Amino acid sequence: MKYLIEKSKLEGEVEIPASKSHTVRAVMFATLAGGISRIIEPLDSDDTRSAVKAGASLGASFDRTADGWIIQGVDGQINGLQTEIDTGNSGTTIRIATGVAALARNSDITLTGDEQIQNRPIGQLVAALNRLGA
């Protein structure tokens, strides 16, 4: 049996379905970024709305558009905040927001969530951040 394979070029576009974890991560990246970020067709869920609330509590501003969200980030500068961030039942949000909150200076930030989140282990992350000076 013989096969002849010739050089070819693939091209096109693929629409990737929205993902909860990708949307939460995009919101947290946009929160930390300088300037304006745009998330097109984010997954709208309780967890992603918790991430948006967390980002806003950390100083970012969010606007809804017809096809997504526009975020004005904090450019890595989180200072002088006195806030409690309720991450609902989003484990991804509380873990990423913990790292982001560790960047804050002259701030008192409390991270919390529903009863289930409050019973999930996060001590190793907190200990690692503390060893890094958080």
Side-chain angles (χ1 to χ4, degrees), residues 1 4-5 11 28 33 35-36 41 55 60-61 78 80 90 97-98 103 108 111 113 123-124 126 131:
M1 185 180 295
L4 177 61
I5 300 173
E11 63 181 73
M28 291 288 102
I36 294 174
E41 297 184 19
S61 64
I78 303 169
S90 179
T98 298
L103 298 171
D108 184 9
L111 291 149
Q124 289 181 329
V126 172
R131 284 192 301 274

Side-chain angles (χ1 to χ4, degrees), residues 57-120:
S57 295
L58 292 164
S61 64
F62 291 79
D63 290 310
R64 285 190 176 270
T65 65
D67 65 347
W69 301 326
I70 296 175
I71 301 102
Q72 174 68 53
V74 300
D75 196 19
Q77 304 301 310
I78 303 169
N79 297 304
L81 293 179
Q82 308 299 314
T83 190
E84 179 175 290
I85 299 171
D86 184 348
T87 63
N89 191 28
S90 179
T92 303
T93 299
I94 199 164
R95 283 172 176 74
I96 297 173
T98 298
V100 173
L103 298 171
R105 299 293 175 245
N106 303 313
S107 298
D108 184 9
I109 300 171
T110 301
L111 291 149
T112 189
D114 68 11
E115 186 177 343
Q116 186 177 6
I117 281 292
Q118 292 179 25
N119 289 315
R120 290 188 192 174

Side-chain angles (χ1 to χ4, degrees), residues 16-72:
I16 299 171
S19 156
K20 178 175 66 172
S21 65
H22 291 165
T23 300
V24 168
R25 285 169 173 79
V27 166
M28 291 288 102
F29 293 151
T31 295
L32 280 173
I36 294 174
S37 300
R38 186 170 176 204
I39 302 174
I40 300 170
E41 297 184 19
L43 180 71
D44 187 18
S45 70
D46 289 343
D47 285 5
T48 60
R49 285 189 295 276
S50 290
V52 167
K53 288 178 189 174
S57 295
L58 292 164
S61 64
F62 291 79
D63 290 310
R64 285 190 176 270
T65 65
D67 65 347
W69 301 326
I70 296 175
I71 301 102
Q72 174 68 53

